[in-house]
Every structure is written in C-alpha cells, then in structure tokens.
Amino acid sequence: MSRPSTSTFALLGALVLVPLATSAMAAVDSTNYREFEQFLDVYNRVKADYVDKVDDKTLIKGAIQGMLASLDPHSSYVDALDYDNLRIMTEGNYGGLGLTVSMEDGAVKVIAPQEDTPAARAGVKSGDYITHVDGKLIYGETLDEAIGLMRGKPGTKVAMTLVRPGNPKPIDVAMVREVIVQKPVKWEVKGDVGYININTFSEATGADTRDAIRGIDRALGHKPLGYVVDLRDNGGGLLTQAIAVSDAFLDHGEIVSQRGREKTDIERYYAKPGDDAKGLPVVVLTNAGTASASEIVAGALQDHHRGLVMGERSFGKGSVQTLLQLGPQTALRLTTARYFTPSGRSVQEGGIEPDIRVPQISDPDYKARPVFREADLRRHLINEVKADNAVLEEDAKTDPRYAQTPEQLKKAGIDDFQLYYALKTVARLGGPTQVAAATRPSVK
C-alpha cells in the first residue's frame, strides 16, 4: 500500500535529508513568546483534565502534525512508518493490493490503483472511498492504521467496501494480496509506434526510460515512427528522475526551475546534449492523476515543443518538499519551493493543459465520477497567477470525435480510448497500414 497526498505527492525533490539548521532555531529568539505560553497552557490542561491519561509522546507528535497540517497538504511529520513508505516508493516492494491512497476528512480516498495489481484487477478506481476493510469500518481511523489493514502477507485474502461517487450503492470487492513490485517503466511496440508507460518516478526511472527507447529500437530493428509516453495516474516521485526522463527526449535547454521564498533563491536544471529519441515525434498522455514529477516532464516537453500533450488536465501540484532530518527515523517534510516549467509557468492549482483534450470515453462512468486535483485540497498553495479553469474546460458542444459510447468502443475492441487516440496520432505518420497495426486490439 503506498501513501500519498500528504505524502507521496510530497516526494518531488525530497529524499535529500538536510539537518535542521541551528540558524532556523535562532529565529525563535525574535518570536512572541505569548504564543508559546498559550501552547504550554493547553498542553498542561490536556495532561491534567483529559478524560484519559495521555503520554507526552502522543501529545507532542500530535502538536507537530497539527502545526505542519496547518501549512499546506504536503508538509508533514515523517515517522518510522513514513520512512518505510518512502523506501517502498523509491526502491522496494511490499505485500499488499497496489493502491495509492490519501486521507480526506477522515475517509480513505483512492488516488490511483497501480497497473496490473489486485486493486486494479478488482476494478478499484481513482476517487473511490474505502469505508471497510474485512468488515471493519475504517472511517475516522488514521491513514497509517488503514494502510496497515490493507497490507499483509502475500496470498492472504482481503475484502473491501467502496463508496463511489455517482453509484447509489456501496461496492464490495474481494482480493488476494500479492508482492507488489514497482516497475516504474513498461514498454511495448504497437505497429511501428513505441509505447512507454511510466507509472512512478523512483530511483531507476530515468535509466529505465532510456532502456525502453533502446528496447523499442531492438524490437523493431529500426527506429519507430514516434513514441507515446503515458504519464496517466502517475503521482510523481523524485525530482532527479523527472529531470532524467525529460533529458531523454531533450538535447538542450532548461527542464525545470525551483524557486524558494526569496527572489534570489532559484535553482535551474538543464538538459544535457543528446536526445535519446533522436527528435522523433512524442505524444505525452496526461490525466487528473498526472502529478508533480510527471507534470515536470509534461511541461518541459510541451514548452520546448518537443512533445504533444494529450488527454486531460493534470493534477496541479507545483511545489517542492525537502526532508529535514530530526532523528534516525524522523524528519520534517517541508514545502520549501515552487517549481516552474521552462517558460516560467507554475502548474500549481492549474496543472498542465493538454494541447489536445481527449476524454476517456471508454470508461462507462467517466462523466459521473468526480475528478479531484490539487486545487480541491484544503490549504493548498495558491498560484500567484490565478487561472479560471472552469472557463477553460467549459465546452457546451459535443466533439464528434468523442461521440462514441463505451459499448460501441468495446465492440470495436477499444478499451482505452485515450491510448488508442494517441497511438493513432503517431501512426498516421506511416499511413493507413501503420494506423491499423498500431491500434489493433491486444490479444489477451
């Protein structure tokens, strides 16, 4: 079970542990101590009068978590379990269901199921709320406790009850836990089109993307017509790997900049000479689950006119978190900067707008299921240039290209319309024969 929102999305640019600076502690000297006295008054009242005895560790941890939660959705206190979650995201595997989840008003909400995992095969979808695990109500439990119930020994069974917005009744699903091995990059050949699916930005994603490009060349025996890079439902990860993936398709120019509190606090990252894809056409697929590090890649390729972004508007997480070491297994995950695309755009709140909007019309409930993004999270950072995305997304007319129903598409062998449309776009460079080859339904 991997854990985001206040956690996983917060990993962009993190995993560089920085000792808590003594200069920062010195700033307390100028602080009004009345606020500290008020905090101590509350602490003493709780210790003396709360209905049950509470230990100091619980109170202090709660105070730290509350202080950080008041800042933004991605600043948090990292304890031993969080460290384990970070390790899982960046390197390892675990026994579980393959879900990325967050906490929203006491409820566990699904960000995205990982491809080819028990959760994905059971039909769990982004935006679902998990209410029960093995018959136990988990509403009001901590996210750590909920994750603990979903993780477990591979081969063991688990039942969950889901509430899906737009569905009148709860949905019961049964799954068997597996060893969830993170495979950040998968690739295959569709006709003469190279398809690269990047589902997370862990420590090997950049190298795996380059390997995918070489593997496509070997499989075809020649260069492809172009590439479809799928970043849908990719919640992000390491900044270094977002830069490495962007660099695989760029041979010059800025990839991303991150800017801190002060105007002079700017770091810029640039592409190295050499484009692994040799300038061939690239289509980048995005949706509302494309977040953080994924948005860096999409924004860099879009700004350099190196790739055509297709799909739906991305999540809109444009902030950078840094881990500030407190103890051997504790740290502060603190928002320290905003990041900007090469043209100076901040994706905070607004996300990356696709060059060609393609809805996922093969999903039977895509219209009914609510979409949530960074702007929907409480206390999210405000974008200095506020865009009215409701106006941008307003479209009263039905595009004839997207008029088919899920049933009609299924009969035609199309179960992923966005991918079908992207492959078709690249394959047109090779003519009708290549379009037919690239969009031929997979044999299962």
Side-chain angles (χ1 to χ4, degrees):
M1 210 59 189
S2 97
R3 161 190 188 171
S5 188
T6 54
S7 299
T8 302
F9 288 153
L11 289 177
L12 173 62
L15 298 187
V16 177
L17 296 181
V18 180
L20 199 60
T22 53
S23 59
M25 299 302 293
V28 174
D29 295 340
S30 61
T31 303
N32 190 330
Y33 276 92
R34 290 178 184 175
E35 280 74 18
F36 286 98
E37 290 173 359
Q38 187 177 35
F39 167 78
L40 289 173
D41 284 344
V42 172
Y43 171 81
N44 288 325
R45 290 295 180 98
V46 172
K47 286 282 289 184
D49 300 329
Y50 187 65
V51 62
D52 295 320
K53 287 186 177 181
V54 189
D55 61 81
D56 292 341
K57 183 178 180 180
T58 299
L59 289 176
I60 296 300
K61 181 179 178 180
I64 294 171
Q65 289 172 330
M67 176 170 58
L68 293 169
S70 71
L71 300 176
D72 66 80
H74 308 297
S75 293
S76 62
Y77 175 71
V78 179
D79 59 14
L81 180 59
D82 287 310
Y83 259 77
D84 188 44
N85 288 327
L86 295 181
R87 181 196 62 77
I88 286 170
M89 180 174 181
T90 57
E91 19 174 286
N93 54 63
Y94 62 98
L97 306 174
L99 279 173
T100 299
V101 297
S102 67
M103 182 66 76
E104 183 180 283
D105 297 328
V108 177
K109 188 171 189 175
V110 176
I111 302 296
Q114 185 177 324
E115 183 182 2
D116 195 27
T117 60
R121 291 192 291 271
V124 181
K125 295 185 177 181
S126 174
D128 286 349
Y129 291 91
I130 302 171
T131 60
H132 296 75
V133 177
D134 286 332
K136 178 181 178 179
L137 178 68
I138 60 172
Y139 180 81
E141 301 279 350
T142 67
L143 190 56
D144 290 345
E145 290 168 330
I147 289 172
L149 290 172
M150 287 182 270
R151 282 185 188 164
K153 187 177 178 181
T156 56
K157 296 180 180 180
V158 60
M160 293 198 314
T161 302
L162 310 172
V163 171
R164 181 169 297 163
N167 260 49
K169 295 182 179 180
I171 302 168
D172 292 318
V173 293
M175 291 165 278
V176 176
R177 296 181 180 95
E178 296 178 1
V179 175
I180 307 299
V181 179
Q182 295 209 50
K183 298 177 182 177
V185 180
K186 299 176 183 178
W187 66 268
E188 59 182 302
V189 169
K190 303 276 192 176
D192 269 9
V193 179
Y195 172 60
I196 303 174
N197 181 359
I198 303 174
N199 59 72
T200 191
F201 287 85
S202 55
E203 59 187 11
T205 302
D208 287 354
T209 300
R210 286 189 158 91
D211 286 344
I213 293 171
R214 289 191 289 267
I216 290 166
D217 289 350
R218 287 194 299 269
L220 287 172
H222 55 80
K223 287 289 180 185
L225 292 170
Y227 303 90
V228 173
V229 178
D230 194 343
L231 297 176
R232 293 175 299 172
D233 294 323
N234 183 329
L238 299 173
L239 173 62
T240 55
Q241 298 307 303
I243 293 167
V245 170
S246 302
D247 196 9
F249 297 96
L250 296 170
D251 64 2
H252 69 279
E254 183 177 304
I255 292 173
V256 67
S257 64
Q258 60 180 52
R259 309 178 190 185
R261 180 192 298 180
E262 305 300 330
K263 290 184 178 179
T264 56
D265 186 10
I266 301 176
E267 287 187 70
R268 300 182 186 276
Y269 302 90
Y270 296 91
K272 299 182 181 75
D275 171 1
D276 291 60
K278 307 301 181 187
L280 292 171
V282 178
V283 169
V284 181
L285 276 176
T286 64
N287 65 5
T290 301
S292 200
S294 299
E295 292 172 293
I296 285 180
V297 176
L301 269 58
Q302 187 180 57
D303 279 4
H304 283 289
H305 305 289
R306 181 64 187 88
L308 188 70
V309 178
M310 186 178 290
E312 296 164 302
R313 182 165 63 90
S314 64
F315 185 79
K317 181 187 178 291
S319 60
V320 179
Q321 283 67 43
T322 302
L323 288 183
L324 302 169
Q325 187 80 50
L326 294 176
Q329 284 192 306
T330 58
L332 293 182
R333 187 195 341 258
L334 197 63
T335 299
T336 55
R338 289 177 170 88
Y339 73 77
F340 293 79
T341 69
S343 65
R345 290 183 296 160
S346 169
V347 303
Q348 180 65 22
E349 291 190 276
I352 298 291
E353 289 288 345
D355 299 301
I356 300 177
R357 183 180 176 274
V358 180
Q360 185 64 313
I361 60 174
S362 53
D363 184 349
D365 58 354
Y366 89 97
K367 286 184 177 179
R369 193 171 70 252
V371 173
F372 78 102
R373 295 182 170 92
E374 173 82 4
D376 300 313
L377 300 178
R378 289 187 296 175
R379 292 182 295 275
H380 64 271
L381 295 181
I382 302 300
N383 190 341
E384 294 87 345
V385 181
K386 180 65 176 175
D388 187 352
N389 287 295
V391 174
L392 291 173
E393 294 183 345
E394 184 179 358
D395 189 359
K397 296 181 180 179
T398 301
D399 190 321
R401 293 174 298 176
Y402 314 138
Q404 290 175 285
T405 66
E407 292 76 20
Q408 289 171 327
L409 291 169
K410 189 173 183 180
K411 285 181 181 178
I414 301 169
D415 56 7
D416 185 341
F417 180 76
Q418 290 174 326
L419 178 56
Y420 166 84
Y421 200 95
L423 291 168
K424 188 175 180 180
T425 299
V426 178
R428 279 181 178 146
L429 297 170
T433 303
Q434 277 300 322
V435 170
T439 58
R440 186 179 297 121
S442 300
V443 178
K444 294 183 179 180

